[in-house]
Short mmCIF file of all heavy atoms in Angstrom, two decimals:
data_model
loop_
_atom_site.label_atom_id
_atom_site.label_comp_id
_atom_site.label_asym_id
_atom_site.label_seq_id
_atom_site.Cartn_x
_atom_site.Cartn_y
_atom_site.Cartn_z
N ASP A 1 14.12 -3.73 18.60
CA ASP A 1 14.08 -4.77 17.63
C ASP A 1 13.92 -6.16 18.25
O ASP A 1 13.79 -7.17 17.54
CB ASP A 1 15.38 -4.72 16.77
CG ASP A 1 15.44 -3.45 15.89
OD1 ASP A 1 14.40 -2.94 15.60
OD2 ASP A 1 16.62 -3.02 15.63
N THR A 2 13.91 -6.23 19.56
CA THR A 2 13.75 -7.45 20.27
C THR A 2 12.27 -7.89 20.25
O THR A 2 11.41 -7.07 20.43
CB THR A 2 14.17 -7.33 21.71
OG1 THR A 2 15.56 -6.92 21.77
CG2 THR A 2 14.02 -8.69 22.45
N VAL A 3 12.07 -9.13 19.95
CA VAL A 3 10.68 -9.66 19.91
C VAL A 3 10.36 -10.22 21.33
O VAL A 3 10.97 -11.21 21.82
CB VAL A 3 10.49 -10.80 18.88
CG1 VAL A 3 9.03 -11.34 19.00
CG2 VAL A 3 10.77 -10.30 17.54
N PRO A 4 9.48 -9.50 22.12
CA PRO A 4 9.20 -9.90 23.41
C PRO A 4 8.39 -11.16 23.51
O PRO A 4 7.76 -11.54 22.56
CB PRO A 4 8.37 -8.73 24.00
CG PRO A 4 7.69 -8.15 22.77
CD PRO A 4 8.69 -8.30 21.63
N GLY A 5 8.54 -11.87 24.63
CA GLY A 5 7.80 -13.10 24.82
C GLY A 5 6.42 -12.81 25.38
O GLY A 5 5.87 -11.68 25.16
N MET A 6 5.91 -13.82 26.11
CA MET A 6 4.62 -13.60 26.78
C MET A 6 4.82 -13.87 28.21
O MET A 6 4.58 -15.02 28.77
CB MET A 6 3.50 -14.53 26.19
CG MET A 6 3.34 -14.24 24.68
SD MET A 6 2.03 -15.29 24.00
CE MET A 6 0.58 -14.71 24.73
N PRO A 7 5.19 -12.81 28.93
CA PRO A 7 5.64 -13.00 30.36
C PRO A 7 4.45 -13.40 31.34
O PRO A 7 4.64 -13.87 32.42
CB PRO A 7 6.15 -11.72 30.80
CG PRO A 7 5.52 -10.66 29.76
CD PRO A 7 5.45 -11.45 28.57
N CYS A 8 3.25 -13.22 30.81
CA CYS A 8 2.04 -13.52 31.72
C CYS A 8 1.32 -14.80 31.19
O CYS A 8 0.14 -15.02 31.54
CB CYS A 8 1.07 -12.35 31.75
SG CYS A 8 1.90 -10.88 32.52
N GLY A 9 1.96 -15.58 30.31
CA GLY A 9 1.35 -16.84 29.85
C GLY A 9 0.41 -16.65 28.72
O GLY A 9 0.26 -15.51 28.16
N PRO A 10 -0.25 -17.68 28.36
CA PRO A 10 -1.13 -17.71 27.12
C PRO A 10 -2.31 -16.78 27.16
O PRO A 10 -2.83 -16.39 26.06
CB PRO A 10 -1.53 -19.16 26.97
CG PRO A 10 -1.42 -19.76 28.37
CD PRO A 10 -0.33 -19.07 29.01
N LEU A 11 -2.78 -16.37 28.29
CA LEU A 11 -3.90 -15.38 28.40
C LEU A 11 -3.46 -13.94 28.52
O LEU A 11 -4.24 -13.06 28.54
CB LEU A 11 -4.82 -15.77 29.56
CG LEU A 11 -5.41 -17.15 29.60
CD1 LEU A 11 -6.40 -17.22 30.73
CD2 LEU A 11 -6.02 -17.55 28.26
N GLY A 12 -2.13 -13.76 28.53
CA GLY A 12 -1.57 -12.49 28.77
C GLY A 12 -1.18 -11.80 27.42
O GLY A 12 -1.38 -12.25 26.30
N VAL A 13 -0.67 -10.54 27.62
CA VAL A 13 -0.22 -9.77 26.52
C VAL A 13 0.92 -10.41 25.79
O VAL A 13 1.68 -11.18 26.40
CB VAL A 13 0.19 -8.33 26.98
CG1 VAL A 13 -1.00 -7.56 27.53
CG2 VAL A 13 1.37 -8.39 28.01
N GLY A 14 1.08 -10.08 24.48
CA GLY A 14 2.13 -10.67 23.74
C GLY A 14 2.54 -9.74 22.60
O GLY A 14 1.91 -8.68 22.41
N PRO A 15 3.55 -10.11 21.80
CA PRO A 15 4.04 -9.28 20.69
C PRO A 15 3.03 -9.20 19.65
O PRO A 15 3.12 -8.24 18.78
CB PRO A 15 5.35 -9.94 20.23
CG PRO A 15 5.14 -11.40 20.65
CD PRO A 15 4.32 -11.33 21.92
N ALA A 16 2.04 -10.05 19.54
CA ALA A 16 0.99 -9.93 18.47
C ALA A 16 -0.27 -10.46 19.07
O ALA A 16 -0.35 -11.16 20.14
CB ALA A 16 1.42 -10.81 17.31
N GLY A 17 -1.37 -10.09 18.38
CA GLY A 17 -2.65 -10.56 18.86
C GLY A 17 -3.32 -9.59 19.83
O GLY A 17 -2.76 -8.58 20.25
N ASP A 18 -4.48 -9.90 20.25
CA ASP A 18 -5.30 -9.02 21.09
C ASP A 18 -6.15 -9.93 22.01
O ASP A 18 -7.15 -10.53 21.68
CB ASP A 18 -6.25 -8.19 20.17
CG ASP A 18 -6.91 -7.15 21.05
OD1 ASP A 18 -6.57 -6.81 22.16
OD2 ASP A 18 -7.90 -6.47 20.42
N ARG A 19 -5.67 -9.98 23.28
CA ARG A 19 -6.33 -10.82 24.30
C ARG A 19 -6.82 -9.97 25.40
O ARG A 19 -6.03 -9.30 26.12
CB ARG A 19 -5.36 -11.94 24.83
CG ARG A 19 -4.97 -12.99 23.85
CD ARG A 19 -3.72 -13.72 24.18
NE ARG A 19 -2.52 -12.95 24.06
CZ ARG A 19 -1.83 -12.79 22.93
NH1 ARG A 19 -2.26 -13.32 21.80
NH2 ARG A 19 -0.74 -12.04 22.87
N VAL A 20 -8.16 -9.97 25.56
CA VAL A 20 -8.74 -8.96 26.55
C VAL A 20 -9.69 -9.66 27.44
O VAL A 20 -10.23 -10.75 27.21
CB VAL A 20 -9.45 -7.79 25.84
CG1 VAL A 20 -8.45 -7.04 24.87
CG2 VAL A 20 -10.60 -8.31 24.92
N PHE A 21 -10.08 -8.91 28.53
CA PHE A 21 -11.08 -9.42 29.49
C PHE A 21 -12.13 -8.26 29.64
O PHE A 21 -11.77 -7.04 29.60
CB PHE A 21 -10.42 -9.61 30.85
CG PHE A 21 -9.42 -10.73 30.90
CD1 PHE A 21 -8.15 -10.52 30.46
CD2 PHE A 21 -9.78 -12.01 31.35
CE1 PHE A 21 -7.18 -11.58 30.47
CE2 PHE A 21 -8.85 -13.04 31.37
CZ PHE A 21 -7.56 -12.81 30.96
N LYS A 22 -13.33 -8.65 29.86
CA LYS A 22 -14.41 -7.65 29.97
C LYS A 22 -15.54 -8.23 30.82
O LYS A 22 -15.90 -9.43 30.55
CB LYS A 22 -14.95 -7.19 28.66
CG LYS A 22 -16.01 -6.06 28.76
CD LYS A 22 -16.43 -5.65 27.40
CE LYS A 22 -17.51 -4.51 27.56
NZ LYS A 22 -17.95 -4.00 26.23
N VAL A 23 -16.13 -7.49 31.69
CA VAL A 23 -17.34 -7.96 32.35
C VAL A 23 -18.48 -8.03 31.33
O VAL A 23 -18.68 -7.05 30.55
CB VAL A 23 -17.76 -6.95 33.54
CG1 VAL A 23 -19.08 -7.40 34.14
CG2 VAL A 23 -16.68 -6.90 34.58
N VAL A 24 -19.15 -9.16 31.29
CA VAL A 24 -20.22 -9.34 30.27
C VAL A 24 -21.38 -8.43 30.56
O VAL A 24 -21.90 -8.33 31.67
CB VAL A 24 -20.72 -10.82 30.28
CG1 VAL A 24 -21.80 -11.02 29.26
CG2 VAL A 24 -19.54 -11.76 30.00
N GLU A 25 -21.81 -7.73 29.58
CA GLU A 25 -22.93 -6.75 29.66
C GLU A 25 -24.20 -7.46 30.13
O GLU A 25 -24.58 -8.51 29.68
CB GLU A 25 -23.19 -6.09 28.34
CG GLU A 25 -24.25 -5.02 28.47
CD GLU A 25 -24.43 -4.26 27.12
OE1 GLU A 25 -23.72 -4.55 26.12
OE2 GLU A 25 -25.29 -3.37 27.05
N GLY A 26 -24.72 -6.90 31.25
CA GLY A 26 -25.95 -7.53 31.86
C GLY A 26 -25.66 -8.63 32.76
O GLY A 26 -26.62 -9.20 33.38
N HIS A 27 -24.39 -8.99 32.99
CA HIS A 27 -24.01 -10.06 33.87
C HIS A 27 -22.83 -9.67 34.72
O HIS A 27 -21.66 -9.99 34.42
CB HIS A 27 -23.66 -11.32 33.03
CG HIS A 27 -24.81 -11.83 32.17
ND1 HIS A 27 -25.72 -12.76 32.72
CD2 HIS A 27 -25.17 -11.59 30.92
CE1 HIS A 27 -26.64 -13.00 31.80
NE2 HIS A 27 -26.26 -12.29 30.70
N ALA A 28 -23.10 -8.91 35.77
CA ALA A 28 -22.00 -8.38 36.60
C ALA A 28 -21.23 -9.48 37.33
O ALA A 28 -20.14 -9.17 37.80
CB ALA A 28 -22.63 -7.40 37.64
#
């Protein structure tokens, strides 16, 4: 029942939202 924070900062995982990284297709 604990709401976790964002231990990896604003670009990291959090209790809500979807923040992801991906190599751009065609641009290695």
Side-chain angles (χ1 to χ4, degrees):
D1 294 332
T2 301
V3 178
M6 297 182 70
C8 299
L11 304 189
V13 294
D18 189 12
R19 291 164 288 276
V20 299
F21 296 81
K22 183 180 182 179
V23 176
V24 179
E25 185 175 357
H27 299 273

